[in-house]
Amino acid sequence: MAVDQSDTSIDSATFSQSNHHSVAAKVSGEIPGCKTRWITSYKWTSGAGVITPVDMFNASPGQADPYLSVFLRQPIPGTSFLPGKIEALVDVRNLMSQGYVPMLGKDGRTLYLVQSARAIRGGLAFNF
């Protein structure tokens, strides 16, 4: 689904179904010494105003998220009282805030439609 960006008012006639293409690249690696593992991906979509994923089921090899994404996984040195491994995780999606489509609502306020919102997530993984 795409939005005609020449008309910024929200109206059902503004939305249309159209075909688009996407190209993705994904690289990964490990930083020697500190053993930090990283994955970086970028998925470009043809056309402006695309608000639904081009690959709905993300079935392509590598499963890249739309726009620039970075994932980091850092092992944390273990302690004697906890068996297993602990890793810190950081996941940043749509790092450059691409794909935001501003629309003007009937009340005059701006509504942003987006295929993939910018997000930062973090956590700990316990592996036993």
Side-chain angles (χ1 to χ4, degrees), residues 7-27:
D7 179 14
T8 60
S9 63
I10 297 176
D11 185 6
S12 61
T14 307
F15 298 95
S16 64
Q17 262 189 338
S18 56
N19 292 326
H20 293 275
H21 302 283
S22 67
V23 176
K26 189 172 190 177
V27 292

Side-chain angles (χ1 to χ4, degrees), residues 73-106:
R73 193 172 189 118
Q74 173 65 52
I76 297 174
T79 58
S80 60
F81 71 92
L82 282 177
K85 299 177 185 177
I86 301 173
E87 293 181 320
L89 310 172
V90 176
D91 187 7
V92 182
R93 297 185 183 196
N94 195 3
L95 188 61
M96 299 188 305
S97 299
Q98 294 176 296
Y100 285 76
V101 180
M103 301 294 290
L104 194 58
K106 294 185 188 263

Side-chain angles (χ1 to χ4, degrees), residues 54-127:
V54 173
D55 184 2
M56 283 299 250
F57 300 102
N58 205 4
S60 62
Q63 298 180 333
D65 293 318
Y67 312 115
L68 181 63
S69 297
V70 178
F71 180 77
L72 300 171
R73 193 172 189 118
Q74 173 65 52
I76 297 174
T79 58
S80 60
F81 71 92
L82 282 177
K85 299 177 185 177
I86 301 173
E87 293 181 320
L89 310 172
V90 176
D91 187 7
V92 182
R93 297 185 183 196
N94 195 3
L95 188 61
M96 299 188 305
S97 299
Q98 294 176 296
Y100 285 76
V101 180
M103 301 294 290
L104 194 58
K106 294 185 188 263
D107 61 355
R109 298 195 318 193
T110 303
L111 170 71
Y112 290 94
L113 303 178
V114 64
Q115 181 184 148
S116 176
R118 180 174 50 177
I120 299 173
R121 299 185 298 179
L124 294 174
F126 299 95
N127 299 317

